[in-house]
Structure formats: structure tokens, C-alpha cells
Amino acid sequence: MSIRLICQLLRTTCLLWLLTMSGQTIAVDTDNVDGISASRDRSLNFSDSITMQSNLSLGADHSCAIQNKTLRCWGKNTSGQTNVPKLNNPSQVSAGSKHTCALDENGVVCWGSNSYGQLNIPTLENPSILVSGDRHSCSLTSEGVRCWGHNSFGQAHAPKLVNPHNVYADGISSCAHDKTGTACWGWHSYRDENEVVFSNIILPSLTHSHMCKLGKEVVCSGNNDFGQTGVPNLVNPTEISTGTSHTCALTDTGVICWGKNLDGQTTVPEY
């Protein structure tokens, strides 16, 4: 997926970092991205080394995290998006704007807003990866990628894929990597079969207003009107996720959140 496309899909104009495990950083000014994104060597694919599985996920104004085999959600709850149902050893969580989904030993479970069918989960055979956009979700299953929810732009209608092994969703777009390359559908439809694959890439977490990357430390940039880019001291952060105006990290000392707290989205409950 080209760097330009990532920024289009995530609808952000900021500095995009792609950090490799060796510490090399590619910095791209997305306000002037046209001059650098045309060449193939400026693109990236979801490779086998990149996984979208998450123990930490933020919605617009709510947060969710799995610790000690327990999933907790907190923050804005106007649609029941933080009312976690009974789960059996949850392994992944994915928060949309006003809905939340989790993967446990019994499969995928979703709760919160169902205004666009976000809770109408299709039959999923052996789901392994779970992701969510604003009002839709997708899962990688043994039968391919399955999506559900808001579909006004086709974001929940996955194209034909050949042995997909990664899936990603954000906003009103979805993407997957399969045997032939990268495919995206929704707001920006896209297919490329000739991209260079960068190994061991840690993808940044981005929203409309700010973004954060996780390397040896967490670095955030963009709108800071609620302190969402003012990273506190963190002990060995392993995951980072951004909401509309707040940010959370999973660390050795637990979940740490900062930024807007009008709805309690940065007030982490006890585990």
C-alpha cells in the first residue's frame, strides 16, 4: 500500500512514520506527498511479519484493553459500547466509533451501536484477526475476509482475495493483503500486485487529528488541544492506540491513557 494511500484512507495530513525493527525511520510530509509516493520503493505491504491483532483499541470517545485475560472498556457509553458482555478468554479487541468487538474462544462478539448493522455478525469460520472502522468491522477467517456493518462506500464488501493473511480497517475503508498483493475497498478502492514488501514494520496509529508511533518509545504528533500528543513516562510500551482526542498505551505497568477525558476515556479502571 502506498504511503499516499495510507494517509488517504486514514484521512489525515500529518507526518507519517514507518518504523522498522532496525530503527530506520521513513518520514513523509503528507502535505506534499505527491512528489514522493509515485515510485514503487515508497510503498509498503502488509507482510507476514505485520499483524493487526490487538489487546488495546480506542473508539471515538471510548477505550478498551485486555489484561490478565480480562477485557475492560471505559469512556463514553451512549450506545453501550463499553458494556462488555461475558466473554471466554478474549484474545483481541477492536473498537469502532460507537461499537466494540472482541474475539474470544467462542468467536467474535460485538456490542454497542447497531445503527448500521455493526452487531450483525455473519457466520465466521475460525476467525483469527479482528479489526474495526468507524461503523464496520472485518475479520480474517479460514474462508477469507468477512466484513459487516456500514457499507455506503462498499467498505463492508470485500473483493475476491487469494489466500488473504492480513486485514485492516479504518474510517470508511478496509484493506487486506493476499497472495497477489494489496487490495483496499470502500472510500478508496485500490489494488496493487507489484509492491515492495518491507519486513518488520510497526504501523502507526492515526486519527483525524493526531497520530502516534511506537518504536523504542512512543512519539505523537498533530493536534494537541486536549494533550493527546503529550506522551507521559511509559515503561516498555508494547501497543499504542489513538482515539479522536485521546491516546492509550499498553505498558509493563498496565494501560496508560492521556488526552481528552470528558467522558472518562482516559480514566483506566482497575483490572
Side-chain angles (χ1 to χ4, degrees):
M1 185 191 303
S2 70
I3 289 171
R4 183 214 305 250
L5 181 66
I6 291 177
C7 297
Q8 287 175 335
L9 290 175
L10 302 183
R11 292 168 292 153
T12 184
T13 54
C14 56
L15 198 67
L16 177 64
W17 296 282
L18 300 176
L19 182 70
T20 67
M21 294 299 286
S22 63
Q24 178 185 3
T25 301
I26 304 170
V28 178
D29 182 357
T30 60
D31 289 328
N32 189 29
V33 73
D34 290 341
I36 62 172
S37 62
S39 60
R40 292 290 178 189
D41 61 356
R42 288 289 186 176
S43 58
L44 76 98
N45 269 346
F46 299 121
S47 71
D48 289 327
S49 63
I50 304 172
T51 61
M52 299 302 161
Q53 303 174 16
S54 180
N55 291 309
L56 174 68
S57 187
L58 273 59
D61 296 298
H62 76 290
S63 310
C64 297
I66 298 173
Q67 290 189 102
N68 303 321
K69 298 183 179 180
T70 299
L71 172 59
R72 298 266 193 271
C73 293
W74 60 96
K76 197 169 187 175
N77 196 36
T78 53
S79 299
Q81 61 265 46
T82 67
N83 295 338
V84 181
K86 185 177 180 180
L87 299 171
N88 187 11
N89 293 324
S91 58
Q92 294 178 49
V93 60
S94 185
S97 178
K98 295 182 180 180
H99 77 288
T100 308
C101 295
L103 177 62
D104 70 1
E105 291 183 355
N106 298 320
V108 173
V109 180
C110 297
W111 59 95
S113 174
N114 196 37
S115 57
Y116 291 94
Q118 301 97 305
L119 312 187
N120 298 338
I121 306 168
T123 300
L124 303 174
E125 295 292 333
N126 301 314
S128 59
I129 297 178
L130 177 64
V131 295
S132 295
D134 282 350
R135 297 177 179 87
H136 76 290
S137 298
C138 297
S139 179
L140 178 65
T141 76
S142 58
E143 296 183 337
V145 173
R146 299 287 183 268
C147 300
W148 62 97
H150 190 203
N151 196 40
S152 294
F153 297 93
Q155 65 268 41
H157 184 72
K160 185 177 181 180
L161 300 166
V162 181
N163 297 325
H165 55 264
N166 252 323
V167 62
Y168 178 76
D170 189 274
I172 49 178
S173 299
S174 308
C175 295
H177 185 71
D178 67 3
K179 186 177 181 180
T180 65
T182 300
C184 293
W185 57 97
W187 183 248
H188 289 280
S189 298
Y190 178 86
R191 166 59 98 173
D192 198 326
E193 300 177 359
N194 299 293
E195 294 185 304
V196 175
V197 175
F198 290 91
S199 297
N200 299 321
I201 290 176
I202 301 173
L203 290 177
S205 181
L206 307 94
T207 64
H208 304 285
S209 63
H210 76 290
M211 66 168 293
C212 298
K213 76 174 178 69
L214 173 62
K216 294 181 179 179
E217 60 183 16
V218 173
V219 179
C220 297
S221 178
N223 194 342
N224 194 37
D225 53 347
F226 291 98
Q228 62 265 44
T229 64
V231 183
N233 291 328
L234 302 172
V235 180
N236 296 325
T238 56
E239 288 191 42
I240 187 76
S241 186
T242 53
T244 300
S245 299
H246 74 294
T247 310
C248 294
L250 187 60
T251 75
D252 281 357
T253 60
V255 178
I256 307 296
C257 298
W258 60 96
K260 185 179 179 180
N261 196 36
L262 181 63
D263 297 292
Q265 58 265 53
T266 65
T267 303
V268 183
E270 293 185 2
Y271 277 78

